[in-house]
Amino acid sequence: MTLGFIGAQTGDNAQLGINIYNGAKLAVDQYNKTNPKTKVTLKPYDTAGDPAIAPNQVNKAIQDKVQGVIGLPFSGESQAVQPTLEKAEIPNISPSATDPTLGKKGFKYFHRLVANDDAQGAADTKMMTDVYKAKKVYVVDDNQQYSLGIANIVFNTLKSGGVSVQRDKIDPKASDYSSTVNKIKAFNPDAIFYGGYYAEGGKLLKQMRDAGVTAKFQSDDGANDPNIIKTAGKKQAEGVTLSCACQSVATSTEPKVKKFIDDYKAAFGVGQGTYSAEGFDSANAFLDAIKAGNTTSQKINDYLKTINVAGISKQIQFTPQGEVKANTIYQFQVLKGKLEFLGPTDKVTLGKPM
Amino acid sequence: MLHNFTTQFWPNTIDGLAIGAIYALIALGYTMVYGVMRLINFAHGEIFMIGTFASLAVMNLVGFQAPLGGLALVGVFVLCLAGSMAASGGAAVALEFIAYRPLRKHGSPRIAALIAAIGASLFLQELFAQIVVPKIFAPGHGRDFIGTPRLMNKETLFSIGNGVVRNDKLLVIIAAIVMMILLDFFVNKTKVGRGIRATSMDPQTATLMGVNINQIVMLTFLVGGVMAGAAGLFYVLVFEVTKYTIGFILGIKAFTAAVMGGIGNLRGALLGGFILGLIENWGASVTGSEWKDVIAFSVLVLILLFRPTGILGESLQQARA
């Protein structure tokens, strides 16, 4: 039997795809070592994360008669190919696509092992109102599909909650964000929410702090990467909070999780990264179905509707829309120049910045 | 809306002048090359990019931990400036020698040189993304933003209205003006400068008068590259970040500044750079920052409607205008 991984293996955002593929490959290899009745091969299809390339790769996978797809990692490419996967009736589990609309189009074969941006936006709004107790919030995003979506959710929820809120957008291709910084200074907010990725978030953070803006800074899982500290500078990034639908796998004390981390390192020579655990869990969901004797894609899909097993990253169980049931959003904070895990959003205790 | 413009006027003016100074320094390269060869050197943005990486290389070589002050700062700053100017100037000369001179020798049409320029631009970007950056600066991160160390502490010097003037931004503005004055003197008052102006006016007659065209063209590229190298250091000083595509958008903006001021006109480049920087930031305060480029290019179109050759008019020989 063949499972496909469809996602980026090359290109600007390849790291995430590689993390997922390695996680899935580890799961499949471990499964095959148990000498099962049905052996499984995992075949990669490289999309470079590009919605224009993805459809071609999906067609290839359909021709190869894959029975299940791990992917696609990004929301944009998922949007582009989901109708094709539906038509071919191939069940798919995305470890990382967070666009809320994917779960609202009535797809029968779509699943994801990550909480969507609605859940994350709500959690980040909660951080602003409950943890930071902000009365004035400034919302910035970098005008990309993912960023705009999450910034809209935070902006609208805060506004309808009676918080005084303003917003602006920055250009991911540019580096001079002084006009945005000047707007923030003029508004003088208690807290700032940034929707977007770490590269731009880091630049914005640096320029803001250098201009003397001391407001609290909250951002999303796109910015949840140690690189934001590198780009912004240790001093400028200190105390910043970042959300993620992912738990801190790396600091877990659970034996099962520790074994995963060690196995991953032994197999690939590098430590597991963002969404590796979700990739591992996605593959295991399929393998679980195969172990239960389901060998056609239709039967596997039916099995996924009822699956309920413990994974590495979270409990593997889906809603009828294909959303993962365990949609807790976790928070991280930059403390002493390191990304530290704070726990689930409603139980956050902030650390003391330097 | 207008309220935002007035309350953010001074901060945006200062920041607009700072980015404008960098536009102006890059614009000089476009304008000089256009003035002499009637060629839009689209690879000039990449010459600037090389300058940013050269500054970073010098900083890494010197290897300091905390921001510097006093004599150490001046020393490292001069080293960085020399390094980035040499790298960018050298790259510009090499570019001319490899990509443009053979075409000129065979009397190719101007469009061939333009295509060569676009090709050179892509070549240099990919060279840095795939080889130079991963090998020297950040293994495995060839296509990411590369942070650069903080060279000087960023301190507030004084305020104008509610606008804060910071040391690094003031330095960039003043340096751009000083370099502009030096260049203006060089082109208008020296013998070599006369050669440049003569070539710009009429290459054939200039040759008859004993001007070595190849030398003049090479010199023009060298001067443009040196200015872009300086811009590279200033950019790294203020924004502390670079990337293999950093010169692309900045190059387009600088080219816009050159056209706005009057392409081929040195003082026009400086004026165009400052005006573009100011309009961008002022415009962004009235609308959203995402409208920055729309506003800047709308103003460019408006200016060209009424003054088709730019604010100060075209051509190098009229640099006194």
Side-chain angles (χ1 to χ4, degrees):
Chain A
M1 265 193 71
T2 312
L3 293 176
F5 164 78
I6 309 181
Q9 296 217 296
T10 58
D12 280 6
N13 301 306
Q15 194 54 52
L16 211 66
I18 293 167
N19 291 347
I20 293 167
Y21 175 66
N22 285 352
K25 191 161 169 14
L26 182 65
V28 171
D29 288 349
Q30 285 179 353
Y31 166 82
N32 283 338
K33 267 193 203 131
T34 62
N35 279 320
K37 219 166 51 204
T38 340
K39 285 238 177 190
V40 172
T41 45
L42 179 68
K43 213 171 161 190
Y45 300 87
D46 183 12
T47 63
D50 187 340
I53 299 172
N56 231 328
Q57 298 296 332
V58 168
N59 286 335
K60 263 193 211 160
I62 293 171
Q63 276 168 19
D64 291 349
K65 297 206 176 0
V66 300
Q67 306 287 330
V69 166
I70 294 146
L72 286 53
F74 301 129
S75 296
E77 52 180 5
S78 295
Q79 295 278 18
V81 304
Q82 200 58 45
T84 318
L85 286 168
E86 286 290 314
K87 224 173 132 195
E89 302 187 336
I90 297 176
N92 58 100
I93 305 177
S94 171
S96 57
T98 56
D99 186 338
T101 58
L102 282 167
K104 292 175 185 160
K105 290 187 175 161
F107 293 137
K108 286 198 184 70
Y109 296 86
F110 169 78
H111 307 79
R112 62 175 141 204
L113 264 178
V114 63
N116 67 28
D117 290 340
D118 282 345
Q120 191 169 182
D124 288 344
T125 312
K126 219 168 163 192
M127 284 294 287
M128 302 309 233
T129 52
D130 295 7
V131 177
Y132 290 134
K133 305 202 182 332
K135 303 268 176 290
K136 284 168 87 179
V137 175
Y138 205 92
V139 176
V140 184
D141 69 73
D142 66 5
N143 223 351
Q144 301 182 58
Q145 192 182 3
Y146 153 79
S147 324
L148 199 57
I150 194 157
N152 281 343
I153 295 166
V154 173
F155 181 82
N156 293 332
T157 327
L158 284 172
K159 203 170 180 189
S160 56
V163 176
S164 166
V165 54
Q166 284 189 8
R167 71 186 296 181
D168 197 30
K169 294 173 198 306
I170 54 177
D171 178 2
K173 289 193 289 298
S175 286
D176 178 18
Y177 298 151
S178 53
S179 61
T180 304
V181 172
N182 290 335
K183 280 172 190 238
I184 295 174
K185 275 190 98 165
F187 184 59
N188 194 20
D190 305 319
I192 293 151
F193 176 77
Y194 168 71
Y197 298 96
Y198 60 81
E200 291 72 38
K203 285 187 282 181
L204 175 70
L205 194 53
K206 172 178 268 184
Q207 291 179 30
M208 247 170 45
R209 293 294 189 235
D210 285 350
V213 177
T214 54
K216 304 285 188 242
F217 188 94
Q218 166 81 37
S219 189
D220 50 32
D221 63 345
N224 192 330
D225 189 295
N227 266 321
I228 193 171
I229 307 168
K230 241 170 136 183
T231 318
K234 263 189 182 176
K235 225 175 85 199
Q236 288 86 347
E238 189 65 17
V240 162
T241 44
L242 305 159
S243 63
C244 189
C246 51
Q247 276 199 63
S248 173
V249 171
T251 57
S252 173
T253 50
E254 238 183 286
K256 198 172 63 170
V257 182
K258 273 190 163 165
K259 183 177 176 304
F260 162 74
I261 293 170
D262 294 343
D263 289 350
Y264 189 101
K265 180 115 204 200
F268 306 107
V270 289
Q272 61 92 30
T274 310
Y275 292 126
S276 290
E278 280 80 358
F280 184 78
D281 285 348
S282 306
N284 269 332
F286 282 120
L287 297 170
D288 221 52
I290 297 166
K291 262 189 250 171
N294 302 298
T295 47
T296 65
S297 49
Q298 188 55 49
K299 274 195 171 158
I300 292 175
N301 199 51
D302 293 342
Y303 183 85
L304 288 180
K305 300 287 171 216
T306 59
I307 192 171
N308 187 6
V309 296
I312 295 293
S313 63
K314 54 188 69 92
Q315 188 74 12
I316 305 174
Q317 191 183 6
F318 301 103
T319 67
Q321 291 79 32
E323 301 279 2
V324 67
K325 274 217 172 125
N327 65 351
T328 317
I329 302 290
Y330 301 89
Q331 299 291 339
F332 293 70
Q333 189 175 24
V334 178
L335 292 167
K336 299 203 174 70
K338 281 215 174 79
L339 212 49
E340 304 283 356
F341 183 57
L342 292 183
T345 305
D346 42 6
K347 289 186 194 124
V348 158
T349 337
L350 291 175
K352 276 219 168 62
M354 279 190 291
Chain B
M1 271 192 163
L2 210 61
H3 172 73
N4 286 342
F5 176 74
T6 47
T7 52
Q8 295 162 25
F9 178 79
W10 284 112
N12 277 331
T13 304
I14 294 156
D15 291 332
L17 287 174
I19 189 75
I22 292 174
Y23 290 157
L25 282 176
I26 307 175
L28 287 174
Y30 281 105
T31 260
M32 297 255 318
V33 168
Y34 182 85
V36 170
M37 290 172 71
R38 299 288 181 274
L39 163 72
I40 296 162
N41 178 15
F42 271 115
H44 191 60
E46 276 58 51
I47 299 296
F48 159 78
M49 179 268 290
I50 289 172
T52 64
F53 277 107
S55 316
L56 177 57
V58 174
M59 285 182 198
N60 287 346
L61 274 181
V62 176
F64 49 91
Q65 290 301 317
L68 302 168
L71 268 182
L73 173 64
V74 176
V76 175
F77 183 82
V78 170
L79 269 181
C80 285
L81 193 62
S84 64
M85 281 177 157
S88 288
V93 170
L95 178 73
E96 194 272 323
F97 195 76
I98 296 166
Y100 304 138
R101 183 165 300 186
L103 293 177
R104 239 170 347 109
K105 221 189 242 160
H106 294 100
S108 314
R110 217 164 273 151
I111 189 82
L114 197 69
I115 302 293
I118 294 170
S121 160
L122 290 173
F123 170 78
L124 287 171
Q125 281 183 19
E126 287 303 314
L127 181 73
F128 270 71
Q130 300 197 30
I131 298 172
V132 179
V133 181
K135 281 255 158 71
I136 301 176
F137 297 101
H141 292 280
R143 289 173 194 275
D144 285 347
F145 276 100
I146 312 291
T148 65
R150 178 153 291 190
L151 188 58
M152 59 197 281
N153 271 317
K154 307 208 163 170
E155 281 153 16
T156 303
L157 296 178
F158 54 90
S159 299
I160 307 174
N162 60 346
V164 171
V165 179
R166 226 168 55 190
N167 51 0
D168 56 331
K169 294 195 171 171
L170 187 67
L171 176 72
V172 171
I173 298 169
I174 292 175
I177 296 173
V178 168
M179 290 179 69
M180 180 63 226
I181 293 171
L182 288 178
L183 185 63
D184 201 58
F185 176 83
F186 172 73
V187 170
N188 284 321
K189 296 280 168 7
T190 63
K191 192 177 166 215
V192 188
R194 199 186 316 144
I196 293 179
R197 279 181 290 140
T199 313
S200 164
M201 270 185 226
D202 187 342
Q204 266 103 28
T205 315
T207 317
L208 292 177
M209 296 295 159
V211 176
N212 183 335
I213 299 276
N214 275 341
Q215 252 176 31
I216 290 294
V217 168
M218 194 199 269
L219 193 76
T220 309
F221 271 87
L222 178 70
V223 171
V226 162
M227 293 290 165
L233 171 63
F234 294 143
Y235 190 86
V236 164
L237 196 69
V238 175
F239 299 110
E240 296 175 344
V241 73
T242 182
K243 191 186 181 179
Y244 74 107
T245 51
I246 200 101
F248 184 70
I249 292 287
L250 241 90
I252 291 180
K253 292 280 178 67
F255 176 62
T256 309
V259 173
M260 210 180 248
I263 192 151
N265 185 322
L266 291 181
R267 291 172 194 182
L270 186 76
L271 189 69
F274 282 139
I275 289 179
L276 186 65
L278 286 174
I279 288 172
E280 274 189 354
N281 272 20
W282 286 342
S285 70
V286 178
T287 59
S289 298
E290 69 271 28
W291 294 98
K292 237 181 194 183
D293 294 354
V294 177
I295 295 163
F297 288 106
S298 305
V299 171
L300 173 71
V301 170
L302 267 182
I303 289 177
L304 292 185
L305 269 181
F306 294 102
R307 285 195 63 91
T309 52
I311 299 170
L312 294 188
E314 238 177 50
S315 75
L316 211 52
Q317 68 269 26
Q318 290 162 5
R320 288 169 302 277

